[in-house]
Every structure is written in C-alpha cells, then in structure tokens.
Amino acid sequence: MAARQQIVRLGIIGCGIAANELHWPALSQLRDRFDVAMVCNRTREKAVSFATRIGDAYGKNVPYVLDYLELLATPNIDAVSIMLPVERNLEVCAAAAAAGKHMMLEKPIAKDMAEAREVLGLEAKHPGLVMMVAENFRYRQVFAELADSLRKDAIGTPYFVEWKSWQLIDPASNPYAQTPWRINHRYEGGFVTDAGVHYVAALRDMLGDLSTVGACSACVNPAIGRMDSLAWLFRTTGKDAIPPLSGILTIGFSVHGSASSSLTILGSRGSAVVENATLRIYADDADNPVSVADYPDGGGYVEEYVDFHQAITTGQKPTSTLDEASKDLDAILHAIEMGQHSNPTLR
C-alpha cells in the first residue's frame, strides 16, 4: 500500500480572478496534497464568496478573514498562496516569511527589479522556507516536448524563433481589464509585463537567457494602460545542445481583426509550431506537418502546485524559483525600457 501523502494546510491571500479561475480549479484536483484552511481578501464580499465556494466543495466550513496578517498568525496554516496586485508582493512575502510560512506568489515576482532583489533577499534570510513563483508556463509539457524535439534534430539546426501573441482586450467585457490595479498599473508595462513574463519563462527554459537587440512599443488603447503593444528583437544564449537563436516576440492587446497565439522555430530542415497545447513539426510541405502531437495540461496550474507540495514535503528545490522569476522580469523590463523610447499613443 502506498504511503499517505502529507496534507499541506494552505491559506490563500487574494480571492480575485486568479484565485477563482486558475488556482482553485487546480487545487480542487489535489485534495490528497492540499487542504485550503483559510482565505483572505480585503473586501468581505469576495472573501465570503470564495470561502463558500471552497467550503461547498469540501463539505465543510472554510473560514475567511479580511486582514492577511490575521491569516499569517494562524498556527494551523503551513503555506500560503499570494494572489495580489504585484506591487504588494514584497510587503506580503516579507510578512509571510516572518510568520514562517512557505509561499507561492503570483507572477511577476515584483513591480520592479529593486523589489525583486528584496524578495530574493527574503529567501536568503529564511533558508528553511519554500518560496516560489506561480509561473505556470514552466510546467507546460508542450514546451518541454518542443525543446526535446529540437535537441533530437527534428527540424535540423534551429536558427530563428518567433512568438506572436495578439488579442483584443475589451474593457467592457474582459474582467482583467476591469481591475483598477491592472489598468492604472504602478509597474512598467502593465498587461505587456503581466503576460510577457510567461513567454520569457518558456523561452528561457527552452533556449537559454535572452539579450535585447531592439524593441519598440505602442499604446493603442490608453483605457487598458500606458502600454499595450511590444515588438522585441532578442538573441538567446543557447541551452542543452540547442544553439543560440535570433528571435522576435510581438505582444498586442488592442489588435482588431486578427488574433494569434503561436510560437514558431525555424530550422535548417524544417520548422516547429506550437499553438495552445499542440506541437506540429513541418518539413517541406507547409500545409502538411510530418507530425502532430497534443499535450493537454490545463495550463500547468496543477503541475505547479504538485511541485510546491513536493518542495515543502521533501525539501526538493522547486522548478519555478524566485531567482528564475527575477530573471524573467529583468528580461522583459529591459525590452520595455528600450521600447519606451519609441512609444506612440495612437488615436
């Protein structure tokens, strides 16, 4: 008979969109690893709604509080998930560390690199605690399979990568564009930073670190922030037998009449394309891939919580470390800084 896993008693700080749409659906599948013991939100309505939702699933009462310090002072909580506006990450992480709680915080790690370094400093001061960032792209199987295909020479020698993420965020209907801290952002880049760290994380994991060659940005719709579009030219260092590549990442959140979410890598004998969770390998016929494979993973949210649990219960280093998340943020902020020199507001 397999040994029973240790149940980690989890507190959730922040009961907004991420908690409801991303984290709880994953945690609801991991009742053999986590028990949500308490939730916190500064507005009572959200706290009550989220606590009730979890309590109904568990068939028991799940308490809520309005002050995260009260949650952190609760002795029967082992770890916390922090899902707050990014400018509050440092403050709440410092309090969680002082309270002796393991923690996973939503990306980006901080609002700027100065605060990112302070968050990293907390890890050095509290070596017995697990601290990680909820970067779900690090756990998506399709990117691991893509890197493996490149190492196995599936498209010959890779030389160029393009990632295109185009969509239309309508403030009238998109719930993310209705949160004031996102549209009136106190961190550079707004939606571009929030999404950009995802792409940087996946690219760095597959291809090595990124250095900026050039960038330009635009603000097409000021209603969703000071910046909503970025084109970034970069070079990768190469990684694990994959050579350095040239690349471009284009992010647009005010795109009318077109939408795209695709990652393409060109090689000397073919190309590899990722769309959502599907990997296609092409040779000479652009209409007929030589292979098509689907890697449905639910976005990697379950896998990141499994990693969090394993790090807490075994002492194994998590995949999505604070250090990696800090490097992700540093890379996208460098691109944004260069792009701001050519940032028009369009009418």
Side-chain angles (χ1 to χ4, degrees), residues 305-319:
Y305 270 104
V306 169
D307 190 32
F308 189 32
H309 180 273
Q310 184 167 293
I312 293 169
T313 58
T314 70
Q316 179 175 310
K317 184 179 179 180
T319 297

Side-chain angles (χ1 to χ4, degrees), residues 256-276:
H256 291 264
S258 182
S260 178
S261 178
S262 64
L263 167 63
T264 302
I265 297 182
L266 305 182
S268 59
R269 297 196 311 275
S271 60
V273 179
V274 169
E275 292 179 311
N276 298 316

Side-chain angles (χ1 to χ4, degrees), residues 39-63:
V39 303
C40 171
N41 202 80
R42 66 180 181 177
T43 57
R44 187 180 301 274
E45 181 181 5
K46 285 186 178 180
V48 169
S49 174
F50 194 47
T52 301
R53 180 182 180 187
I54 298 172
D56 288 347
Y58 282 167
K60 67 177 184 180
N61 178 61
V62 173

Side-chain angles (χ1 to χ4, degrees), residues 177-205:
Q178 295 168 10
T179 49
W181 68 270
R182 285 189 173 91
I183 57 175
N184 302 312
H185 49 91
R186 299 180 189 175
Y187 57 100
E188 288 303 329
F191 278 105
V192 171
T193 301
D194 203 31
V197 289
H198 281 313
Y199 311 132
V200 172
L203 288 168
R204 290 185 57 248
D205 280 4

